[in-house]
Amino acid sequence: MYPILEAESIAPDVRRIVVEAPKVAKKHRAGQFVIVRVTPNGERIPLTIAESDTEAGSITLFVQAIGRTTMLLCELEPGDCLVDVAGPLGRASEINRYAGVAVVVGGGVGTAIAYPIACALAAEGNRVIAIIGGRTKEYVLLEDQLRSHGIEVIPCTDDGSYGRKGFVTEALIDVVADENVAVVFTIGPVPMMAAVAEVTRADEIETVASLNPIMVDGTGMCGGCRVEVGGETKFACVDGPEFNAHEVDFRLLQRWNTSYRAFETGQLEDLKSLDAEHHEQLLAPVRGVCARTALS
Amino acid sequence: MIKISRRALMKLDRIEMPARDPLERAACFDEVNMGLTPEDATIEAMRCLQCKTPICIEGCPVNIQIDQFIDLVAHGDIRRAAEVIRMDSLLPAICGRVCPQEAQCEGACVLDKKHKPIAIGHLERYVADTIRNYGLEPPLEPIKPSGKSVAIVGSGPAGLACAGDLAKSGHQVHVYEALHKPGGVLIYGIPEFRLPKDIVQSEIDGLKNLGVEFEMNAIIGRTITMEELLTEEGYDAVFVGVGAGLPRFLGIEGENLIGVYSANEFLTRVNLMGAFREDTETPVLDLTGKRVVVFGGGNTAMDSARTPLRLGAEEVRVAYRRTEAEMPARVEEIQHAKEEGIVFDFLVSPLELLGNEEGWLTGVRFQRMELGEPDDSGRRRPVPIAGEIFDLDADVVIVAIGNSSNPLLPATEPHLKQTRWGTLEADETTGRTTMQGVFAGGDIVTGGATVILAMGAGRIAAASINEYLETGVWESNPASEPALQPAPA
């Protein structure tokens, strides 16, 4: 069992969760992920590690409640547990000192995933611009935290309720026009990453996308996370999760991620149809079981 | 004790294992083989000629004293029969179920020529099940601690066999497993209907009773490095039995269409994650009324074919590029698959996977083959017949053509040398790798093989680890890297 030390809502349906996993924290490098199971019969889902604290032996995850598993995960509080946390998995981001500006483009909860990469780029001495997007102001994440690392932030909202109105790609077009951009990291919904790759393709600006396909084991054993990069099949879990965005077949990835849509919808409806008591029963095996550990 | 004359026994044919009705079993995950009755087991054991030179033992990768245990079964002394088996195999309930006996012990049986060979595997299973079901396990004898500790990487058959032997030698044994349940391929790969998971669990519990510790969610190379096991974590030796877990695909057009699974993924979803059960949250594509085609001819292909039937598939076909005679699967699995209604297409090789606009699989384009000259493996090589190409409708394809070595561990530990096939370089007779204190065995060394061969390799390594821990001598292997740590005294 992996105790939850902190849990807070940072946007509607988005939670910041700090979990005790000392061995994972010790090894974590920006760009890596963990496989998590929430309940004893739960599925294994990959979540990118946003931060790690070696001293506290903890890792920070940002989770958006979109499916059954993530919804349950977002209901957990300090003192509750995750049944499984395995990692850190995947290759770490390649963080270099670039001759030009490093741009990080994050959409929604993707910003949280991009956050450690932006910080690592800044720590390496790069000038970093973070273009972060959300549907509305509430979904623009981590702006202050990014700024505190000396990163320039361009917030964007679809409805113009905050920052620039419009998509992150529009802001990116301007940044590419105005600055000497050396590298772009993009993390977020698949269509957004695909659009970012199109913005930088013509100028051949190095562009890295962090992919989030369906996974089971996360160690290369099952091949369920196959993606096509440069016409070759890669396993996102061991060959990635970061790839050259200009070579990724995003259309395939988008389709692949819909494989289980019918099942997922059913699972979610099941969950929503439960009354409070039965709903809570699902979480009973992990509810409060680590309270003592968390306090000590 | 049953009394039958030798002459009458000589006329008896092998007693067949009772199996669940094909129609009934193909709709559920209950174990297919139902086990021998005490009477049948006794008679089958009495058929054994008790050869002066029991060549069946040579056919067994772990050299179980087969003649002895069978004699004890014939005399009804199941407890002692179990002790005889336990001297050489710690996992008889598993091996009795999944070993390819026809190619090993039973293949060597002298009765194979005239009658059918003694059902050694079925008797092994009978002994193990009887002991377990009636709680006849011998009390644990106290083990004198050696003061040494060994890390086992991977909790599959190689790791479990190695762990058992080392624990019996008094070493503190700690098993690291990357997944959330121990057992490796016994849990994620082999289906419930062939190897019930409570049997695997009971074998693992047996190891826990011996003092073996299990740690889940530990990916060696990532969570803890190999070097740390020998330094910070302070183990005196490490055994690597991580298996060959990296599924092979064919590299043909359409392999990333939705509906194309590796056998590993499909079986993991169903076996490890319980995707067939109502109360679990892991999906598997809905196979109700669907057409499934499995590529391959091994045991994994048979498991991949029989499982969809149990998930409601309308039709399951196995496509193999050679003929039935060349299939590497156990004879019993092929037989069971046929009884359950699996259709076999021999001498066909997939050329392309066909899909629709939405990216879902719709069919397979096949090339018909014929057998040509023998290849390196001694089997006749399948060669395409010009112009003989045809399409087959399919909703799901399961690719079960084997595994390559998982690069995760070697990639994170430069001292571990790999062969050009990606397997770990390790001495066959000792399991010693190119890194001091590190031993390896099973599929990570041999490439995809069988449960019993992996167990055999685990036991060979355990003996070699014992010797190393005692003498501290690491024989200089020409390929060996300089020592990372002083050898334990």
Side-chain angles (χ1 to χ4, degrees), chain A residues 5-293:
Chain A
L5 305 177
E6 295 171 39
E8 56 170 339
S9 295
I10 57 162
D13 302 330
V14 181
R15 299 272 281 177
R16 172 181 169 272
I17 298 170
V18 180
V19 194
E20 191 176 301
K23 289 177 182 171
V24 181
K26 191 178 156 198
K27 288 285 152 54
H28 164 244
R29 285 158 66 207
Q32 291 184 303
F33 65 94
V34 280
I35 292 274
V36 163
R37 283 199 325 139
V38 179
T39 56
N41 285 339
E43 60 177 334
R44 296 168 65 94
I45 60 163
L47 292 170
T48 305
I49 306 167
E51 269 181 298
S52 52
D53 183 333
T54 323
E55 298 241 317
S58 65
I59 56 169
T60 302
L61 307 171
F62 287 91
V63 187
Q64 186 169 21
I66 37 175
R68 182 188 174 104
T69 303
T70 48
M71 275 183 84
L72 290 173
L73 181 48
C74 284
E75 288 174 33
L76 297 180
E77 299 291 345
D80 300 343
C81 281
L82 297 178
V83 290
D84 294 296
V85 176
L89 294 161
R91 290 169 184 267
S93 307
E94 268 188 47
I95 303 294
N96 299 316
R97 177 73 196 265
Y98 292 93
V101 176
V103 179
V104 176
V105 185
V109 76
T111 302
I113 297 163
Y115 174 67
I117 297 168
C119 295
L121 285 166
E124 196 67 25
N126 291 295
R127 182 178 157 216
V128 183
I129 298 174
I131 304 171
I132 57 176
R135 258 179 291 156
T136 62
K137 180 175 193 286
E138 300 157 298
Y139 289 94
V140 176
L141 307 181
L142 298 173
E143 183 182 349
D144 295 341
Q145 288 88 332
L146 284 163
R147 288 194 198 280
S148 73
H149 286 267
I151 294 161
E152 298 159 51
V153 182
I154 305 174
C156 309
T157 51
D158 294 359
D159 64 352
S161 57
Y162 185 66
R164 260 183 86 129
K165 182 176 187 309
F167 296 126
V168 285
T169 40
E170 292 161 20
L172 179 63
I173 290 168
D174 290 350
V175 171
V176 167
D178 299 344
E179 307 279 355
N180 171 28
V181 175
V183 66
V184 174
F185 284 82
T186 178
I187 300 153
V190 175
M192 185 204 90
M193 292 192 286
V196 166
E198 288 319 305
V199 171
T200 57
R201 190 185 299 278
D203 296 333
E204 294 177 10
I205 298 169
E206 181 184 342
T207 303
V208 180
S210 178
L211 306 187
N212 54 342
I214 291 166
M215 280 189 198
V216 186
D217 67 295
T219 64
M221 188 271 282
C222 86
C225 61
R226 302 200 294 289
V227 290
E228 275 186 31
V229 183
E232 275 181 51
T233 295
K234 300 278 182 190
F235 292 2
C237 66
V238 285
D239 299 323
E242 294 181 359
F243 294 100
N244 179 348
H246 294 147
E247 295 191 341
V248 172
D249 187 336
F250 285 107
R251 192 163 152 259
L252 188 79
L253 176 63
Q254 178 78 343
R255 286 198 317 221
W256 195 250
N257 282 350
T258 64
S259 304
Y260 299 103
R261 185 163 284 172
F263 177 90
E264 287 159 358
T265 310
Q267 286 269 299
L268 201 54
E269 278 165 9
D270 273 1
L271 185 69
K272 285 177 177 164
S273 70
L274 292 178
D275 60 44
E277 190 188 335
H278 286 92
H279 185 107
E280 192 53 32
Q281 268 175 17
L282 292 174
L283 290 171
V286 295
R287 196 59 108 182
V289 289
C290 297
R292 229 170 288 155
T293 325

Side-chain angles (χ1 to χ4, degrees), chain B residues 74-101:
Chain B
H75 288 88
D77 195 344
I78 307 306
R79 204 190 294 242
R80 277 180 58 208
E83 280 168 27
V84 169
I85 297 174
R86 288 252 158 199
M87 288 191 301
D88 300 296
S89 170
L90 283 170
L91 310 167
I94 296 171
C95 293
R97 287 173 165 81
V98 303
C99 269
Q101 288 95 1

